[in-house]
Amino acid sequence: MQIIKSVSSMQKTALSLKKKGRSISFVPTMGYLHEGHLRLVDIAREYGDIVVVSIFVNPTQFGPKEDLSRYPRDIKGDLSKLRKRGTDIVFMPDSDSIYPSEYQTYIEVTEISKPLCGRFRPGHFRGVATVVAKLFNIVMPDTAVFGKKDYQQYLLIRKMTEDLNMPVRIIGAETVREEDGLAMSSRNSYLSKEERGISARFADSLYIASGLYRKGKFSSPSMITRFVRDYLKKFRGIRVQYVDILNASNLKPVSDFSQDMVLAAAVFVGKTRLIDNRLLKARCQ
Amino acid sequence: MQIIKSVSSMQKTALSLKKKGRSISFVPTMGYLHEGHLRLVDIAREYGDIVVVSIFVNPTQFGPKEDLSRYPRDIKGDLSKLRKRGTDIVFMPDSDSIYPSEYQTYIEVTEISKPLCGRFRPGHFRGVATVVAKLFNIVMPDTAVFGKKDYQQYLLIRKMTEDLNMPVRIIGAETVREEDGLAMSSRNSYLSKEERGISARFADSLYIASGLYRKGKFSSPSMITRFVRDYLKKFRGIRVQYVDILNASNLKPVSDFSQDMVLAAAVFVGKTRLIDNRLLKARCQ
């Protein structure tokens, strides 16, 4: 496994792989890797000859009051996991080489970034789109794999890639969950034992709602979000930030069940912010 | 000379050229080509095996009250000129394929786009950055050539390319002028005969100012811009939009002559907006 820290050597390595006709599959991460990330690595291997994983905690996607400084890190553990999983190249740039002084170029995906997390994390998706575009230009992947736990991010990257004609195929991977249903996330490490227990109820709320939807128990999208809110009210340790149900492709509002939908929510458990979502298939009215 | 209209065939052609190890030089234009453009084609040939010229009147860089609909076009003439000049590929996409419905991704270069034309053409540079990034992803050039007549645009593209780690070398080409000094521009075709006559005075104003600067006749940057304004006041047909003198690399304000500078101006002659600039070398204080 090759570890590359400099932007220019990563770019040179990518160019020389391309010239040899090798395809590159890419998994961008912020490190502190869990099984969800490693599943992305497995998928990446199916799509390309060379698997590149980046580890970069991207400052431009954190708000001023968010958890950039305390975001969990474990480079040694990450490298060991990636090595075992058969990663070819780990790209670990430092922040100054990604954002040198006088840095000033940003990418906005104006519509998809507005609802859901976009309402509560101004600038977050601008930071995500910008760093992913940069990483694409540095790593030059044919394919890149993103987890659908961050569903809005996945759609945003897909839209940016399409809109800017980037020659990269975007693959979305299913959310990997703990045994009790909680979606895996590096931020789960913030949770105390008690908080960790109650967090599974958050996953339950969306899972149960999607099951009831499939059984035809709801007659409108707003009934579903009301169900989730009411369900979560029972747990004093959980504070809802948003629960919403939107078109699964463009995140526009839905008023009936005629389109595929995403049921997405963000909650706080203590100081820890968790997000999760479930896809709901369109059904005949 | 190959003419390509579809985005996907241009991208496929570019990929297959790359695979054969051929380098691509690119000149993006809005058509209605003059000798200034053709000089860019000559320069492009020096840098790459294959010269690609795009012709696309980009709607997102025009303001709502600007001249998009009456922007001059002459595809037949353009193709004939490009053929004679030894262009390999002309890429002529239509507007719907570049900006399909639900298009929503834009690139901002926040600082360089603020002064000069940025003050008077809100959104213009966002449109320029966005379309150039798209064209780069479609044409996949190793080198791209831009005229320094649009000096702010040239710096903006250079900065975007650097900030987003695009693997493209940006070359700036000297402004090509008519015999009386007027910078060549497709928009010169808007000028009546009388307006065309007086337009040369605009070019004179910057040329004379730069000459006096070299001779040490000015003691501060503001003296230079005042000289240009006073000079242009004598011509009733010319209305100044801005005259400014800024750092030649980052367009920040300058208060003395210790850095390389650009003296840049925009004027209206009748309804036609003209821009021009001269570079002034730093000198010891």
Side-chain angles (χ1 to χ4, degrees), chain B residues 51-62:
Chain B
V51 174
V52 180
V53 176
S54 67
I55 299 178
F56 180 64
V57 181
N58 174 38
T60 63
Q61 72 190 67
F62 286 81

Side-chain angles (χ1 to χ4, degrees), chain B residues 105-156:
Chain B
T105 305
Y106 296 95
I107 299 180
E108 304 244 19
V109 183
T110 58
E111 302 310 307
I112 281 179
S113 64
K114 269 183 196 143
L116 307 178
C117 293
R119 283 163 56 205
F120 299 96
R121 304 188 71 188
H124 169 69
F125 286 116
R126 183 177 101 142
V128 169
T130 301
V131 82
V132 170
K134 283 172 67 69
L135 290 169
F136 281 4
N137 285 329
I138 297 166
V139 173
M140 302 181 191
D142 301 272
T143 306
V145 190
F146 291 82
K148 287 192 187 171
K149 199 269 275 175
D150 302 302
Y151 190 77
Q152 188 172 14
Q153 168 178 280
Y154 157 68
L155 285 188
L156 176 106

Side-chain angles (χ1 to χ4, degrees), chain A residues 7 11 102-112 134 137-138 159-160 163-166 250, chain B residues 7 11 102-112 134 137-138 159-160 163-166 250:
Chain A
V7 168
Q11 212 160 22
E102 301 211 24
Y103 187 88
Q104 58 183 274
T105 305
Y106 295 95
I107 298 181
E108 305 244 19
V109 183
T110 59
E111 302 311 309
I112 281 180
K134 284 172 65 69
N137 286 328
I138 296 167
K159 187 63 178 153
M160 171 183 78
D163 276 359
L164 293 183
N165 309 98
M166 295 173 163
N250 58 23
Chain B
V7 169
Q11 213 160 22
E102 302 211 22
Y103 187 90
Q104 58 183 273
T105 305
Y106 296 95
I107 299 180
E108 304 244 19
V109 183
T110 58
E111 302 310 307
I112 281 179
K134 283 172 67 69
N137 285 329
I138 297 166
K159 187 63 179 156
M160 172 183 76
D163 276 0
L164 293 183
N165 308 99
M166 294 172 163
N250 58 22

Side-chain angles (χ1 to χ4, degrees), chain B residues 2 26-27 48-49 68 80 88 92 95 102 132 144 153 162 180 182 189 210 223 229 238 255 266 270 277:
Chain B
Q2 197 183 348
F26 180 40
V27 180
D49 303 322
L68 171 61
S80 147
D88 299 292
M92 299 196 320
S95 187
E102 302 211 22
V132 170
Q153 168 178 280
E162 181 193 327
D180 62 1
L182 179 65
S189 66
S210 71
M223 272 185 73
R229 284 177 189 281
I238 298 180
S255 55
N277 69 83

